[in-house]
Every structure is written in C-alpha cells, then in structure tokens.
Amino acid sequence: MSPKLKKAIIVVVVFLLVGIAALVAVSMLSNLSTTTVYDLRLVDATTEEELFEKDVYLTAVSKNNFDIKIESDTSSLLNYVVTSSNVAVATVAKHENVYKVSYHNTGKAIISVMPAESDVVKDSFVLNVKENIPNSFAIIDAEADSANEVTIYADDRDYRFDFQAKKGTISENINLSQMVVVKDYNQDVFDDIYVDDATSQLVINAKQSEGSAREYITLQAKHKDGAGLVTTDTFAVCVNVLGNYIADIQLMLNEDPNFDASGNIYGSGIIKDGEQKIQNVYLSADISAIYAKIRVVYTNGQFKDVTGDNHSGAQSSFGEATELLRLGNYYKIVVPTGVESVTVKFWHDKKEENLTFYYLGEKTSSAYINKVNSFYERYTEENGAKVYYKYTYWDQRFMRNDAITDSEGRIVGFAGGNPTSVSE
C-alpha cells in the first residue's frame, strides 16, 4: 500500500470518528435542550412527605435505614442520580422502585438528586444521624425469671430472651448495635453469649453438661467518639444454668412394626402433644406380638429415640421362653402361651423401665372376653335418648368385630350382646 493511500485512509477514519462524536454531542445537547424539568423532589417512601431535613437515631444495624422516592414532572423521561455527601455517615442505593438510605455513624450528610445528564436542576435534604445511649436494660421475655435473671439448660442450644434497652422516655430500643456482652463470662460453662440487635434479643448458649451453675454476665452500652468506643453504662444479668441429663426412660409401643400411628407411651415423665400414657399391656394367643422402641427424656424436655444405641437394651424376666428381638430400630416381643404375665426390663445407661405384659389366653376364654368388654366405655346422650359405646384401649387388634354403628359411626350395640362387664 502506498504512503499516500495510507494517509488518505487515516484522514477518512479520523473524519468519521469526529463526525460520530459530534453527532452524539448534538444529540445529548438536543435532549437536554428539549427536556424541561418542572418539578423534582425527594419524598419519604412511606409517608410520601417531601424531605427537607430528617433526624434519625442509631438502633440495630439492620434497622438503620429508610426508603425515599423521587417525584418529578418532566417533558420526557430522565435518569436520576441520588448521592450522599458523606458516605461515612450515610449511603444510598437503588432498591427496586425506591432508594434505600442506610446510616452508619453519627454526623450529617446531604442526600441529593439530579438528572444524570445535568446538575442544573437538583433537590436535596439534610440527614442528621444521632445516637441515644441506653441507660436502662431489662429482659422482658415471658420465659425470663425477672428483668435481670434467666434460666437455661446446659444443652448446647441457643436460648433467646427479648429485652429493652432505653433512655428516658424514648419508647423504642436504641443503639442496640452498641450493646455488647463483655467476654469475661465463664468459658467452661458458656459456649457463646451475644446481643442480636436485629431482634432485640440476648442469646445465651451453655455447653452440654450434667452439672448446674449460677453465673453472672455483663452487658455494656457504648458510644463512638473521637477516641473510638467509650463505655457509658454497665448492666448485669444472672444466668441459672441447669444440668441437662436423662430424667426418664419411656417405651413407645405399637401394634404395627412400621409405627405408623405411634403415640402410645409407657413410662414416667412428660409426653409429647397428641400422645397418651399406657397403663397396662395385654397379649393373647392370636395377638401374641407387640413392638416397642426405647426413648429417653432429658431435663430440658427434649426426646431421643435410643433403641439402636449400644447403651440400650432389653431383658425378659421369663428367660429364653420370651422372644425378645431387636430388629433394626425396634423390638419385637412375643409372650409365650400358658403364662399369666411376663416382665421385660428396658434400659439406657443407668435408667431402666420394667414393663409387664399380661396374657389373656384364647379368644373364647372368659378372661379374654371380660377383659375385651372392659375396653368399651358406655355413654348416654345428655337427653338420655341414646346409649353408645367407645373403645378406649389403645391396641385396635382387640376390638370386637360384631359392633353395630349408627349413621354417625357411633357404636350403639353388638350383634353378640352388649358388654356386661361395663358398668351401667
């Protein structure tokens, strides 16, 4: 390519670039010259009131913010820029259809809005970020012992307590981000203690232990000055830590090895909602097997199935004649014929429970019939118009198969005669 041709090409390219730049500039100027801003205001997104000056107080970090909107009246659509004059005090970020103003430290910041293409028209307001240092602290949680005392279990779980940190007559919690727990608490007892400023809660976690303790923890209210954080008030909270250990051992009984409808509990201690305590367990010639799981109840109210645990087991008082098998996560118990009762001992660690199984014999025996009849309770309607029966025993396999029911499904009689062992 000749030098003259190269020069010619360069001249053309430069000319085109200059032309394109000129067109862009003309377009922008044309847009600005043809767009008229009649009104431009920053308003509170909640109240929709125009903002001129706004005072806010530091609370929880997650709550130190508010939303603003832009209200404008222009002859065409414009893009806007919203800024903060002091990002150490407050920052602004677009969030969906609003702008979120987040404030971080005490001080003053000017929040401004202007068209992206020009600063000729703008609006702004002054944001004053202040702090109120709490001079009172009180636990208000319903589970607390008092305003400055709580009780938890040493079970390695988080216990949360609602609190209020206030100053004077100010109704809301203040400066929660500056409420801190002094790390001089007993590290042998506690795993972690901190203030959750977002929820206004004191969180306490004690390490798993069977021993109990009474400890005191310290909270401090701080504020920022030129030298950093300065402590202004100190508050003490008493924490009673109760040992967490096995309080009771129970058996979960079922007529089905799948435990689809488990909720029949034998043993002492608390039970779950929807469960029922079982007093006696009966077997017979044709209903000879029952299924059981072992669970323990801890002092903190938690339940744990320990059937397959190496520290758990079962043993029959009748020796080899009782079939006692651990099949995976349950026991199958078969009582031999010809005996009145068999007692089986279940245990986990040092806790044990003895359960006696009573044998009713054949279906045709009087003992069997009388006992099954006693499983039905007789009821009478309030007006005395109708008598009906309810089956009250937990094992459905003993229900009579000759029941007569009404349209509501209630048992009103039996084809083979009504129970005679049920009191009238």
Side-chain angles (χ1 to χ4, degrees):
M1 182 181 294
S2 65
K4 291 184 178 181
L5 182 57
K6 286 184 180 180
K7 290 181 180 180
I9 292 173
I10 292 172
V11 170
V12 171
V13 170
V14 171
F15 178 79
L16 289 173
L17 291 175
V18 172
I20 292 172
L23 287 174
V24 172
V26 170
S27 176
M28 293 178 62
L29 290 173
S30 175
N31 184 59
L32 287 175
S33 62
T34 58
T35 300
T36 303
V37 181
Y38 302 107
D39 187 26
L40 179 60
R41 291 180 296 163
L42 289 173
V43 301
D44 188 291
T46 302
T47 64
E48 297 193 349
E49 294 181 354
E50 185 174 1
L51 294 167
F52 299 99
E53 187 168 9
K54 185 176 179 68
D55 294 341
V56 294
Y57 289 88
L58 292 169
T59 57
V61 172
S62 62
K63 298 179 180 178
N64 290 339
N65 58 76
F66 61 92
D67 294 335
I68 60 176
K69 295 193 303 184
I70 299 172
E71 288 192 355
S72 63
D73 186 6
T74 62
S75 58
S76 63
L77 294 177
L78 287 177
N79 293 320
Y80 295 99
V81 176
V82 183
T83 59
S84 167
S85 65
N86 189 343
V87 294
V89 172
T91 54
V92 186
K94 195 171 191 326
H95 181 69
E96 296 180 351
N97 296 323
V98 298
Y99 289 84
K100 184 174 292 293
V101 179
S102 301
Y103 42 96
H104 316 289
N105 296 292
T106 57
K108 180 182 293 186
I110 299 174
I111 309 302
S112 304
V113 59
M114 65 187 70
E117 296 83 1
S118 171
D119 61 354
V120 175
V121 181
K122 66 173 63 176
D123 186 43
S124 64
F125 69 90
V126 177
L127 177 65
N128 299 308
V129 182
K130 305 177 181 180
E131 65 176 356
N132 278 320
I133 309 303
N135 57 15
S136 69
F137 175 89
I139 297 175
I140 59 173
D141 198 280
E143 299 297 323
D145 301 325
S146 68
N148 58 2
E149 185 171 357
V150 298
T151 298
I152 66 172
Y153 284 93
D155 56 4
D156 199 25
R157 290 194 302 167
D158 284 353
Y159 286 84
R160 291 176 167 268
F161 299 95
D162 297 329
F163 71 83
Q164 288 180 337
K166 293 184 175 183
K167 180 179 181 180
T169 59
I170 297 176
S171 61
E172 296 182 353
N173 283 340
I174 54 177
N175 274 57
L176 300 188
S177 58
Q178 304 303 337
M179 288 290 296
V180 298
V181 176
V182 180
K183 297 294 184 180
D184 63 350
Y185 52 77
N186 192 335
Q187 301 287 333
D188 293 331
V189 174
F190 299 106
D191 187 49
D192 194 16
I193 308 175
Y194 65 94
V195 171
D196 187 340
D197 63 355
T199 61
S200 302
Q201 289 179 317
L202 174 64
V203 185
I204 309 174
N205 184 306
K207 297 177 180 179
Q208 169 62 43
S209 173
E210 295 187 3
S212 298
R214 183 177 175 87
E215 300 283 339
Y216 285 86
I217 61 174
T218 305
L219 292 91
Q220 291 180 339
K222 298 177 178 289
H223 83 99
K224 295 179 180 179
D225 66 5
L229 287 177
V230 178
T231 300
T232 58
D233 277 289
T234 300
F235 314 100
V237 176
C238 176
V239 184
N240 300 305
V241 183
L242 303 181
N244 187 44
Y245 52 87
I246 297 174
D248 297 290
I249 182 171
Q250 300 173 341
L251 302 177
M252 299 179 286
L253 303 178
N254 208 286
E255 61 197 62
D256 187 331
N258 295 321
F259 283 78
D260 293 332
S262 183
N264 307 300
I265 307 301
Y266 184 94
S268 57
I270 62 173
I271 60 175
K272 299 179 182 179
D273 291 340
E275 294 180 337
Q276 61 176 334
K277 283 284 187 70
I278 301 303
Q279 300 300 323
N280 296 304
V281 180
Y282 299 96
L283 294 172
S284 66
D286 61 323
I287 305 175
S288 60
I290 199 164
Y291 305 89
K293 291 184 178 183
I294 306 173
R295 81 175 181 189
V296 293
V297 186
Y298 288 88
T299 52
N300 67 353
Q302 286 187 309
F303 300 86
K304 183 180 181 181
D305 185 342
V306 294
T307 306
D309 194 292
N310 291 331
H311 300 285
S312 300
Q315 182 179 359
S316 170
S317 64
F318 209 75
E320 297 296 330
T322 301
E323 185 180 350
L324 185 61
L325 300 175
R326 183 163 72 179
L327 304 172
N329 63 342
Y330 66 87
Y331 282 93
K332 178 182 179 181
I333 303 158
V334 180
V335 175
T337 60
V339 298
E340 292 184 357
S341 64
V342 170
T343 299
V344 176
K345 179 177 71 175
F346 297 85
W347 72 84
H348 177 74
D349 285 340
K350 298 179 182 179
K351 286 286 183 180
E352 63 180 51
E353 182 70 62
N354 293 319
L355 176 56
T356 299
F357 300 87
Y358 298 94
Y359 188 72
L360 299 180
E362 302 290 336
K363 271 189 174 183
T364 56
S365 69
S366 59
Y368 182 98
I369 294 171
N370 289 336
K371 179 53 66 176
V372 171
N373 283 341
S374 71
F375 294 158
Y376 290 88
E377 190 169 345
R378 185 178 186 270
Y379 291 85
T380 304
E381 289 184 336
E382 291 184 3
N383 58 9
K386 183 179 290 187
V387 173
Y388 59 97
Y389 300 87
K390 287 184 179 179
Y391 183 75
T392 57
Y393 187 58
W394 66 275
D395 193 333
Q396 303 298 302
R397 295 175 296 179
F398 284 99
M399 292 184 69
R400 291 176 58 170
N401 57 12
D402 61 342
I404 301 171
T405 59
D406 61 10
S407 59
E408 298 179 34
R410 296 184 301 187
I411 302 173
V412 295
F414 297 86
N418 294 340
T420 57
S421 60
V422 179
S423 62
E424 299 295 323

